[in-house]
Every structure is written in C-alpha cells, then in structure tokens.
Amino acid sequence: MNELLSEKQFKFTLMIAKLINYAYASGYTLTFGEAYRTPEQAALNTKSGKGIKNSLHTQRLAVDLNLFKDSKWLKNTEDHQPLGEFWEHIGGTWGGRFGDGNHYSLSHGGIK
Ligand SMILES: [Zn+2]
C-alpha cells in the first residue's frame, strides 16, 4: 500500500525533530541546509550534475543538515555517521550510503 504523500511528509518532519534532538543530546549542533527544492531548481541541478530531477527535496521528504561540534563545521560524510545510523534506526534513508552525508530523507515511490 502506498502511504499518502501528505502523511509521509508529516511523518518525515516529526522524524527530523527526533534526529535534531538526538544530535543535540549527543553534543552536536545543526543548521539547516537545503530543505524544500522547487522542481525548476531540481531540473537545473540535474543539468549541472548536482542532483536528480525527481529529488525527494521536491516532495518535502528530504533535508540537508549542516553539522557542527565545538563550533567546528563537520563536512565529511563520515562525520555524519552517528546521526545517519540513528536516522536509519528510526526508518529514514541516510545519504551517506550514496556519498551524500548531510542528506536525510524518507524514501517514497522507490526514490531515495
Ligand atoms: Zn539533499
């Protein structure tokens, strides 16, 4: 059965709240990177090889998070591993499995 997109979006947003709480409890701080992306922007990204046209960002089912510890911006995929594993544990898809460490999504319609 396909879950309604809106129900999935509500669920995703609550999952992100849990991820943020987990991150802060683990001594990290976060800022938001990209969350919603317009289909027009996704198409431009595809042309320049920076993303896919049907990105979950266009469905409000993905967010990129900037990770910090002790005021240092941690940019590597490996830095996100503890959060990525927590995210997977609560049912999300972590971009670190495909080289996009700061990308947290909830798969929908076969897209990650
Ligand atoms: Zn992303």
Side-chain angles (χ1 to χ4, degrees), residues 13 58 80:
T13 305
T58 65
H80 282 261

Side-chain angles (χ1 to χ4, degrees), residues 37 57 64 100 103:
R37 181 181 300 161
H57 285 281
D64 302 328
D100 200 359
H103 176 91

Side-chain angles (χ1 to χ4, degrees), residues 34-35 48 53 56 63 79 81 91 93:
E34 199 169 357
S48 59
K53 190 165 173 282
L56 286 170
V63 64
D79 298 326
Q81 182 116 14
T93 298

Side-chain angles (χ1 to χ4, degrees), residues 11-75:
K11 181 175 161 185
F12 171 73
T13 305
L14 182 58
M15 285 168 66
I16 288 295
K18 289 177 183 164
L19 178 65
I20 292 170
N21 280 330
Y22 176 81
Y24 278 72
S26 305
Y28 296 101
T29 51
L30 298 166
T31 64
F32 285 116
E34 199 169 357
Y36 178 66
R37 181 181 300 161
T38 64
E40 291 76 17
Q41 186 61 51
L44 286 173
N45 289 1
T46 307
K47 270 189 190 167
S48 59
K50 284 187 292 187
I52 55 171
K53 190 165 173 282
N54 53 2
S55 161
L56 286 170
H57 285 281
T58 65
Q59 307 217 55
R60 302 186 193 278
L61 290 174
V63 64
D64 302 328
L65 296 172
N66 303 316
L67 181 66
F68 300 84
K69 199 162 205 172
D70 303 323
S71 300
K72 186 173 180 269
W73 186 6
L74 306 173
K75 298 185 183 183

